[in-house]
Amino acid sequence: MTDRIEKTIELRAPVERVWRALTNAAEFGQWFRVKLEGPFVPGEITRGRITYPGYEHLTWEATTVKMETQRLFSFTWHPYAIDPAVDYAQEPPTLVEFRLEPTATGTKLTLSESGFDALPDHRRDEALRMNDGGWAEQMVNIQAHVEA
Amino acid sequence: MSRLSAPAPGPAPVFAALGDPTRLSLLVKLSDGGRRSIAKLSADTRLTRQAVTKHLHVLEGAGLVSSAKVGRESQFAYRPEPLAQARSYLDAISAQWDDALCRLQAFVED
């Protein structure tokens, strides 16, 4: 069982417009806030520099998995790769998928990120903070997450 | 969106430990906060005590349960912290996606 984040959003723009915003490296970089050095090509790594204020020292890197025109764009990357001193390439990545479907008013976009259960032990070695109360509720929530 | 301000570190061992129906059901039993022995946790299941013990050790390895010797038997109790941590990690990633999708929406609807 793999843990997974999934989000759906209705966009008032045609599928071909959304597809371009997702898969054209320059357009992707504008809304995602990263300056990419090259295009997205299945099987290849795309690198860039994050342009989000305060995080410009970080490199962005993803490996394109699938580009099924106007239907599916997916890549793998390393979640929370925010420590420049860590070589995240040694860790198993998560999979990010964008699925597009045309609707009467535009595009339904479904985003998912999965594979969090494959991250290695040493990523959680920070001291745990106590969380008093509400844990039974949290448990139900996490159960819903992992069973989704 | 980028990976900004880190919450707690990765939840992988917690999710991996939870990724099993038997272990989830053991945790649900323990989630009332009470301590229970292996005998008690095996009682109303079809599992052998050895199987229950094995699953409890996986949960213990992920920090989800703690054990203490009471007399000759081990008693197990639920530890809420790793779940809270795993949840806040997912919540943070989820919030960053919300943020990114909002920017995408503004970008394509302009």
Side-chain angles (χ1 to χ4, degrees), chain A residues 12 32 77 82 119 123 135, chain B residues 1 3 9 12 31 97 109:
Chain A
R12 287 186 305 276
F32 201 92
W77 70 351
I82 58 161
L119 290 168
R123 289 286 292 280
W135 48 263
Chain B
M1 188 209 72
R3 297 304 188 196
S31 69
W97 276 120
E109 290 184 359

Side-chain angles (χ1 to χ4, degrees), chain A residues 39-46 62-67 73-76:
Chain A
F40 292 115
V41 179
E44 294 188 11
I45 295 173
T46 303
T63 304
T64 302
V65 179
K66 285 187 180 165
M67 292 178 85
F73 173 48
S74 62
F75 57 76
T76 57

Side-chain angles (χ1 to χ4, degrees), chain A residues 98-111:
Chain A
F98 294 94
R99 291 179 189 278
L100 291 73
E101 283 170 56
T103 64
T105 52
T107 305
K108 183 173 123 186
L109 175 67
T110 305
L111 167 278

Side-chain angles (χ1 to χ4, degrees), chain A residues 6-23:
Chain A
E6 187 164 308
K7 299 186 175 289
T8 301
I9 186 168
E10 295 278 346
L11 301 168
R12 287 186 305 276
V15 171
E16 43 292 6
R17 174 74 199 96
V18 178
W19 178 255
R20 193 168 79 238
L22 291 172
T23 57

